[in-house]
Amino acid sequence: MRQKKNYGGELNFYLLKCLVALVDHSHVSRAAEALSVSQPAMSQLRAITGDPILVKGGSRLIPTAKALQLREFAERILGEMSDLLGNAVAFDPHSTRYQFRMVATDYLECLFMDRLVQHLGGRFPGIAMSVRHPVHPSEFSKVLESGEVDFAVGILPTSMRELRHRLLFRDRIVGVARAGHRAIGRTLSPAAFAALEHVVIMPNTTNTFGEAVDVALEAQGLERNRRFVTPNYITASHLLEKTDMVALLPLSLASRFRDRFGLAELALPVDVPEFEVHISWHDRTHRHAAHIWFRDQVMQSLDPRQQGIGMLRADTFIR
């Protein structure tokens, strides 16, 4: 049973195909059969164009002069539409110029982006990436929905749970200080830990990295002694090298900077769970060929089998 279609009295993409078929077949029934459309739709095409399209020519039907002219225009329009749709869907990373824009902290920019850059290497000269540091959590969905950025990389806020996302890796919070700090190797009470001079990392205006530790301390009526507050994880790592301040850092970052800045792990007086790092995107770009390709490259860059790229995946940490 053929589907009944309502064309609203206007030429559209499908009716243009009907016009071409009608002229080419010069037979209403055969043209209708070729396109699986009812004969009344062919009649509607005549009404819209103001032309019979086919007229008697001896023992058969032949297209009118206007129909032949309309067919020429229709074929050109259909070809242009096909090219347009094809170019919109197709994506060749070897020849296309495209910039992917991301929101990420400097911690993830340092830890994760270098693996992605190494993975892409020189194979895709037209592919570029840009990173901006996190906005207020309430703005994450907005900047993705508006197309201001393409991806958000980080700990997934509750406000972003409705977005598309994929787990990149897991990490955990550790206490860190310079290797010669008096607290290294000691078991500190929550009060003693809170009293130390802390570098507190606040990536945006409301969220503090290590919030799980703060919540555990607050339950005991304590809070960290905030000696220095910064939005930058790397700044915190630098400050620890020649001061007696301490900080909470992701284990993966602390491991990378351990030797460079002479850092050591400081035992935490509270238990904290692992946290997950995701890449998130809006549904508006979910089926975009370029974005599909890029998401695949992101996951491949974290594959431990990649030669020359340090291991970082969902179930392991850099030690």
Side-chain angles (χ1 to χ4, degrees):
M1 181 177 179
R2 295 190 181 97
Q3 183 180 2
K4 183 178 180 181
K5 293 180 170 60
N6 181 10
Y7 298 103
E10 296 180 354
L11 275 175
N12 55 36
F13 193 62
Y14 192 78
L15 280 179
L16 289 175
K17 289 185 176 181
C18 291
L19 175 62
V20 172
L22 193 59
V23 172
D24 287 351
H25 288 278
S26 294
H27 193 286
V28 176
S29 297
R30 284 198 292 269
E33 184 177 348
L35 290 176
S36 297
V37 67
S38 63
Q39 289 195 31
M42 296 300 188
S43 299
Q44 188 174 11
L45 181 59
R46 291 174 177 143
I48 293 171
T49 61
D51 189 84
I53 308 298
L54 300 176
V55 295
K56 287 184 178 181
S59 60
R60 59 191 181 91
L61 294 175
I62 60 173
T64 65
K66 182 177 181 179
L68 291 172
Q69 185 180 29
L70 288 172
R71 187 208 176 282
E72 182 181 343
F73 287 127
E75 188 172 44
R76 184 167 68 246
I77 292 170
L78 289 171
E80 291 174 353
M81 286 294 293
S82 179
D83 290 341
L84 176 62
L85 292 173
N87 290 335
V89 173
F91 173 71
D92 181 0
H94 296 281
S95 59
T96 305
R97 298 189 64 83
Y98 204 101
Q99 182 182 85
F100 295 97
R101 300 156 300 168
M102 290 163 279
V103 169
T105 62
D106 64 326
Y107 144 54
L108 291 166
E109 188 175 3
C110 171
L111 188 72
F112 159 69
M113 296 302 173
D114 69 337
R115 286 166 173 75
L116 183 56
V117 170
Q118 288 179 64
H119 171 73
L120 295 178
R123 294 175 295 160
F124 312 106
I127 302 301
M129 293 172 287
S130 65
V131 176
R132 57 178 288 186
H133 287 177
V135 295
H136 190 282
S138 64
E139 298 293 311
F140 274 122
S141 295
K142 180 179 177 181
V143 296
L144 289 169
E145 181 179 344
S146 67
E148 188 176 338
V149 296
D150 303 308
F151 299 98
V153 181
I155 301 170
L156 194 64
T158 304
S159 61
M160 292 178 64
R161 293 289 172 180
E162 77 282 2
L163 295 172
R164 301 271 186 171
H165 54 268
R166 192 168 182 179
L167 175 65
L168 296 180
F169 61 93
R170 296 183 178 88
D171 213 333
R172 66 180 176 89
I173 298 169
V174 294
V176 181
R178 64 179 179 83
H181 195 286
R182 67 186 186 281
I184 298 297
R186 294 173 53 195
T187 300
L188 299 175
S189 68
F193 172 78
L196 295 173
E197 295 182 331
H198 288 258
V199 180
V200 176
I201 301 166
M202 185 174 283
N204 54 56
T205 57
T206 61
N207 284 6
T208 301
F209 179 76
E211 188 174 357
V213 174
D214 290 329
V215 169
L217 292 174
E218 287 171 8
Q220 302 181 51
L222 301 169
E223 64 177 330
R224 283 188 288 166
N225 174 18
R226 298 187 174 198
R227 188 64 189 276
F228 189 87
V229 179
T230 176
N232 301 311
Y233 292 79
I234 306 224
T235 297
S237 303
H238 276 277
L239 287 173
L240 300 182
E241 182 181 17
K242 296 181 179 180
T243 72
D244 281 331
M245 290 189 285
V246 301
L248 299 176
L249 290 177
L251 174 60
S252 54
L253 191 67
S255 299
R256 171 168 289 198
F257 288 156
R258 178 174 291 142
D259 294 334
R260 183 178 301 180
F261 298 123
L263 304 179
E265 186 171 337
L266 176 71
L268 296 179
V270 295
D271 293 327
V272 289
E274 291 181 345
F275 62 87
E276 296 180 340
V277 174
H278 290 80
I279 182 170
S280 303
W281 63 94
H282 196 273
D283 195 54
R284 63 186 292 275
T285 58
H286 181 62
R287 298 163 188 83
H288 192 289
H291 288 242
I292 292 171
W293 174 84
F294 186 76
R295 295 194 299 266
D296 287 342
Q297 299 307 304
V298 167
M299 300 312 298
Q300 289 177 33
S301 74
L302 300 179
D303 190 326
R305 293 169 294 184
Q306 292 291 318
Q307 297 296 317
I309 301 178
M311 185 183 297
L312 180 63
R313 61 187 189 195
D315 59 350
T316 175
F317 304 106
I318 302 172
R319 297 290 181 178

